[in-house]
Structure formats: structure tokens, C-alpha cells
Amino acid sequence: RKEVEQDPGPFNVPEGATVAFNCTYSNSASQSFFWYRQDCRKEPKLLMSVYSSGNEDGRFTAQLNRASQYISLLIRDSKLSDSATYLCVVNPSGGYNKLIFGAGTRLAVHP
Amino acid sequence: GAVVSQHPSWVICKSGTSVKIECRSLDFQATTMFWYRQFPKQSLMLMATSNEGSKATYEQGVEKDKFLINHASLTLSTLTVTSAHPEDSSFYICSARDAGGGETQYFGPGTRLLVL
């Protein structure tokens, strides 16, 4: 079983749509969770951290369910510029340590 | 914000040659840098953790004698792919963590390697 699993997509949605991505992780002791965005042939960029209480940043909402080992990202009012691959990332042991990346979910927003 | 650069951004080489990739933190000091590899349509896979002034820690399955890592200063880590072969063709990305604190890793723009 992969340490971090995501639906690869692609998700093809029209502008203005709401789209949700899911992610599961295998290590129940994992400490930190993130969503990164990666554009084609570019490096990943941090979109947001994910906190136990859930957190929101503009049109983006992240949720964490530790009991189910499940992380989600909700994007409201999709823009063309949201088209990218969204990577679910887990720090299995917290602190200054390595990150485990999911394979990513591709989003394509069309006019 | 924190900036990490990589050089070169892309390289094409013949099979059997060695390729050196540099990763620099431009406006902060990084005691720890990470090297990742990403094949097409796959996730980033951590290859090794590079610690300033000490030996790198390699992930399982990554040959330390093939992927030489040197982290000689607080702002520079290098990855050398020795005797490169076509199967080493990939997107190599480094990241660095600010020695001043914080968990965030700042990623370099990546280096595309094509071995003919």
C-alpha cells in the first residue's frame, strides 16, 4: 500500500465549479499534512497546511480526519488558473523531517 | 520569501558521463536540504537528505555510490549522478529548510536530466 494515496483524476470542471480532492495516508502516527500545487514541468509550491480543526484560505478549504487517516481539499468558484496537479503531502514524523508526496490529482478548469 | 535555485535547469548528456546538479538557498541558510526525483506522471520520491557538514542519509533503494551528495556549506548542496544511464533521465528537485526554524521546505525549480 502506498504511504499517501490520491485519486489521479483528471478532474475536468467548468469555471465556477466546486471541486473536492481526497487523500488517504497509511501511517497513523503522521504529524503534519499539506497540500501542494504543481504546474506542468515546474516545482511544487505550498498551497496550504492542513490542521486538525480544518482551515480555510480564500476559496480553498482543507480538512483532516485523523481517525480515518483522510485529508481533503475543497476548491470553490474554480478559476482557469487553478488548473494544476494538487499534491497531498504528509510529514510522517513531524519536526524537521522528510515529506511523503502523493502522486497528485490533476485538475483542469475549462471556460 | 525564501528562494532556492538549481543549476542547471536542464541537461542532456551521453550515457556513462557524470552530471552535477547544484542546489542553493539564496536568502537563507539551510542545514538540511532534500533531493527528490520525479518520473513522468509519478509523485516526487525522496532520494536523500543532505545535512551540512555530514554524510547524506539515503532512502531505501537509492544507491549512494551512484548519487553522490555533498553539502559543504549552509547554502549549497550538490547531487552528482555518476555514470548516468537512460533510466536516470528524470526531473530532479531539491528543497531546503531554513536553519532559522520552521517546518516549511522551499523547493528549487528542478533540473531536467536526459541521458541519451
Side-chain angles (χ1 to χ4, degrees), chain B residues 91-106:
Chain B
F91 189 41
Y92 291 86
I93 308 175
C94 73
S95 70
R97 198 173 52 223
D98 192 337
E103 204 178 341
T104 303
Q105 290 186 24
Y106 301 97

Side-chain angles (χ1 to χ4, degrees), chain A residues 11-12 26 45 55 76 87 95 101:
Chain A
F11 284 60
N12 294 300
S26 61
K45 294 186 186 293
N55 47 297
R76 291 182 300 278
L87 307 173
F101 284 77

Side-chain angles (χ1 to χ4, degrees), chain A residues 37 59-60 75 77-84 86 107 109:
Chain A
R37 170 195 169 126
R59 298 181 293 110
F60 300 85
I75 305 177
D77 189 23
S78 299
K79 311 290 184 192
L80 294 175
S81 57
D82 293 334
S83 297
Y86 290 83
L107 171 66
V109 182

Side-chain angles (χ1 to χ4, degrees), chain A residues 15-52:
Chain A
E15 276 186 287
T18 295
V19 61
F21 304 139
N22 303 320
C23 167
T24 57
Y25 59 95
S26 61
N27 185 344
S28 60
S30 296
Q31 298 293 314
S32 309
F33 311 89
F34 311 90
W35 283 101
Y36 277 72
R37 170 195 169 126
Q38 186 174 25
D39 292 287
C40 188
R41 306 175 81 82
K42 300 280 190 180
E43 77 277 20
K45 294 186 186 293
L46 178 64
L47 181 66
M48 59 197 302
S49 300
V50 187
Y51 303 115
S52 296

Side-chain angles (χ1 to χ4, degrees), chain B residues 71-86:
Chain B
H71 192 156
S73 78
L74 286 173
T75 59
L76 173 65
S77 176
T78 61
L79 168 68
T80 300
V81 183
T82 62
S83 186
H85 290 284

